[in-house]
Amino acid sequence: EAGVAQSPRYKIIEKRQSVAFWCNPISGHATLYWYQQILGQGPKLLIQFQNNGVVDDSQLPKDRFSAERLKGVDSTLKIQPAKLEDSAVYLCASSDRGTGGTGNTIYFGEGSWLTVV
Amino acid sequence: DAKTTQPPSMDCAEGRAANLPCNHSTISGNEYVYWYRQIHSQGPQYIIHGLKNNETNEMASLIITEDRKSSTLILPHATLRDTAVYYCIVRPRSANTGNQFYFGTGTSLTVIP
């Protein structure tokens, strides 16, 4: 079974530029998550989709971050304009029933490493 | 907010069992204990989870105390490839959002040759 795919793997941009990350979840997984992981910390949820609807975006900095999942499969996370503190790994993850139910599991991609200079 | 407490780092000799502790003293009856690990430059990898019974799979064993206030992840024969950060996570059975998958800072396990 193919895992969660992400691209690009690495990106370096200057502050105030924009960047976009793409994610393809595990086939059949209805729930998709974007996490931000700053060096030395655990991942922090930015946004969660159930199919193409947003379930939780309470920690997404909406003035500069946006995400969409138009057809309920692939997703794109955009940052515009980027700040130095956005330097982090952006992890996409998916699960087949959300996190409810009896012990549903979240599966992560390899991450997209962003450096803002 | 952190619901779990883990030591920041541990060492283990290659070939020996690695026992990683986790305290979750405020766990409630409907909350699961999950373990993930993150090898450098990779995304977190699911290891195992449990509710109240001990669990075992091909990667590890999970021992949960009877009062469920703590647990131990056991890697029976640690190899160098097990060097990683290990996260213990408590999340509600009825969780609807990944925000309730709180990772904290984990335990950095180093397997020594």
Side-chain angles (χ1 to χ4, degrees):
Chain A
E1 177 182 86
V4 177
Q6 292 188 244
S7 69
R9 191 85 167 87
Y10 303 96
K11 190 76 175 178
I12 301 173
I13 61 172
E14 295 183 350
K15 59 184 179 184
R16 293 186 289 274
Q17 286 187 326
S18 63
V19 63
F21 301 113
W22 172 84
C23 173
N24 180 246
I26 292 173
S27 178
H29 280 192
T31 306
L32 185 147
Y33 315 79
W34 283 101
Y35 285 81
Q36 179 193 57
Q37 186 172 23
I38 293 172
L39 187 65
Q41 300 179 17
K44 181 188 79 172
L45 181 73
L46 292 174
I47 189 167
Q48 176 181 340
F49 292 95
Q50 181 76 17
N51 296 307
N52 60 353
V54 175
V55 172
D56 184 349
D57 64 356
S58 57
Q59 297 194 85
L60 186 74
K62 299 180 184 64
D63 58 333
R64 298 183 300 106
F65 287 64
S66 64
E68 60 184 13
R69 193 184 184 201
L70 293 175
K71 297 182 179 179
V73 180
D74 294 4
S75 177
T76 303
L77 175 71
K78 297 181 181 178
I79 307 174
Q80 182 178 15
K83 292 186 175 181
L84 297 178
E85 58 261 36
D86 298 332
S87 294
V89 181
Y90 291 87
L91 295 159
C92 181
S94 70
S95 61
D96 64 2
R97 293 193 304 274
T99 58
T102 55
N104 202 37
T105 300
I106 296 177
Y107 297 93
F108 286 82
E110 294 297 298
S112 292
W113 293 64
L114 174 66
T115 300
V116 182
V117 297
Chain B
D1 292 332
K3 289 189 172 185
T4 63
T5 304
Q6 298 178 254
S9 64
M10 293 180 62
D11 293 338
C12 177
E14 187 178 18
R16 303 295 293 270
N19 297 288
L20 292 95
C22 180
N23 286 320
H24 29 81
S25 58
T26 60
I27 194 170
S28 61
N30 68 344
E31 291 184 315
Y32 284 85
V33 179
Y34 271 76
W35 283 84
Y36 280 76
R37 73 179 182 184
Q38 190 170 24
I39 296 169
H40 182 63
S41 301
Q42 298 182 20
Q45 177 190 23
Y46 166 77
I47 301 173
I48 199 167
H49 74 278
L51 186 61
K52 48 185 170 182
N53 297 323
N54 297 337
E55 302 287 345
T56 296
N57 63 19
E58 64 278 5
M59 290 182 67
S61 294
L62 173 61
I63 308 298
I64 303 174
T65 58
E66 192 168 341
D67 64 7
R68 303 210 321 123
K69 293 185 177 182
S70 65
S71 61
T72 301
L73 179 74
I74 301 172
L75 307 177
H77 305 287
T79 70
L80 299 179
R81 287 178 292 182
D82 292 323
T83 292
V85 177
Y86 288 77
Y87 295 99
C88 169
I89 300 162
V90 166
R91 78 115 178 111
R93 184 175 194 162
S94 59
N96 291 316
T97 170
N99 202 25
Q100 291 165 299
F101 243 80
Y102 182 79
F103 277 81
T105 54
T107 296
S108 178
L109 175 69
T110 301
V111 179
I112 302 169

